[in-house]
Amino acid sequence: MRRSIDSTSVLSNDDMSEYDIISDGQQSLESSIADLGLVDRDKASASIYEPAPVLAAEELFGTPALSAQDIQAYVYANAAIDSVARRQSDLGSRKAVRVYIDGLFDPFDAGHALQFRQAKLSFPAVQLLVGVFSDDVCAQNGASTRTPHLERCELIRHCRWVDEVVPDAPWKLDDAFLTAMRIDYVAIDEGVSIDPAYEKGRVKGYDLVKSLRKAIPTRRT
């Protein structure tokens, strides 16, 4: 039976046999100011310059055409957003919401960048943290990499949507990491398939995030 990850489903047991398909820095000055609460949330998303996508990209990928309003409406409709966080957003609170994404990013492609875009625009003001698994962590969990960890981190750092790179990202998310990094939400791509040979730990980490009501969805490109 084919199964895939989304932002709300939680595994009921340790049986991974049903998952049978293979899945596929430094903090900026602007993000630091936003995190200190010195940027108006209502203006934060609009302040990010973004060249308009070409029509062919909209037709091929779909998600480039989504506006910030589209993305935020989808998040609120499909995620267990805390009522306090929702009220802060509605009132235009100045506190940036800290959103986290992790992955190998090998190779880093348009799908990753478009997921970052959705995560960055999920709330009026977002501090986007991206965790990049090290070569050693990947090897320990049976995942092969071709691009060195340092290069993968640099590629992520230069994406316009990313505020902070987390180079020592854990393979499995836990409450201690979420608390230490002050993570409000973890963005999870809908419909992402997994390889049970090495991704069981990651799925369990995502299950924890969902149980804590800290998961938000991004639409798969």
Side-chain angles (χ1 to χ4, degrees), residues 141-214:
N141 289 276
S144 61
T145 57
R146 292 172 295 177
T147 307
H149 179 239
L150 181 61
E151 187 172 343
R152 288 185 281 124
C153 288
E154 277 298 289
L155 288 169
I156 301 303
R157 188 173 71 86
H158 285 282
C159 179
R160 73 170 66 245
W161 307 108
V162 176
D163 296 296
E164 183 177 346
V165 176
V166 182
D168 54 349
W171 189 259
K172 178 182 177 181
L173 293 174
D174 58 30
D175 191 55
F177 176 78
L178 297 174
T179 300
M181 299 301 296
R182 296 180 293 120
I183 294 169
D184 296 308
Y185 296 102
V186 177
I188 301 175
D189 231 15
E190 293 187 325
V192 174
S193 302
I194 67 165
D195 181 357
Y198 65 86
E199 293 196 291
K200 180 177 179 178
R202 290 189 67 193
V203 172
K204 288 301 180 182
Y206 290 149
D207 285 348
L208 171 66
V209 170
K210 296 165 193 173
S211 71
L212 294 173
R213 301 169 68 87
K214 287 179 172 287

Side-chain angles (χ1 to χ4, degrees), residues 61-79:
F61 300 119
T63 58
L66 297 174
S67 68
Q69 292 74 21
D70 293 333
I71 293 168
Q72 290 165 25
Y74 188 80
V75 167
Y76 281 132
N78 292 277

Side-chain angles (χ1 to χ4, degrees), residues 30-51:
E30 293 80 6
S31 64
S32 299
I33 292 173
D35 200 35
L36 288 171
L38 302 178
V39 173
D40 191 332
R41 286 174 64 100
D42 294 330
K43 297 179 181 179
S45 295
S47 68
I48 302 175
Y49 172 73
E50 179 184 11

Side-chain angles (χ1 to χ4, degrees), residues 78-135:
N78 292 277
I81 302 299
D82 181 85
S83 60
V84 175
R86 183 191 293 268
R87 184 162 62 252
Q88 287 177 338
S89 179
D90 292 341
L91 294 175
S93 169
R94 291 172 175 242
K95 180 181 181 297
V97 177
R98 291 172 67 83
V99 177
Y100 180 77
I101 294 177
D102 62 12
L104 281 72
F105 309 113
D106 187 17
F108 178 62
D109 58 28
H112 295 132
L114 290 170
Q115 185 193 16
F116 294 172
R117 177 180 183 268
Q118 291 182 68
K120 179 68 175 178
L121 299 179
S122 293
F123 300 93
V126 167
Q127 174 85 359
L128 181 59
L129 297 81
V130 178
V132 184
F133 303 135
S134 70
D135 297 336

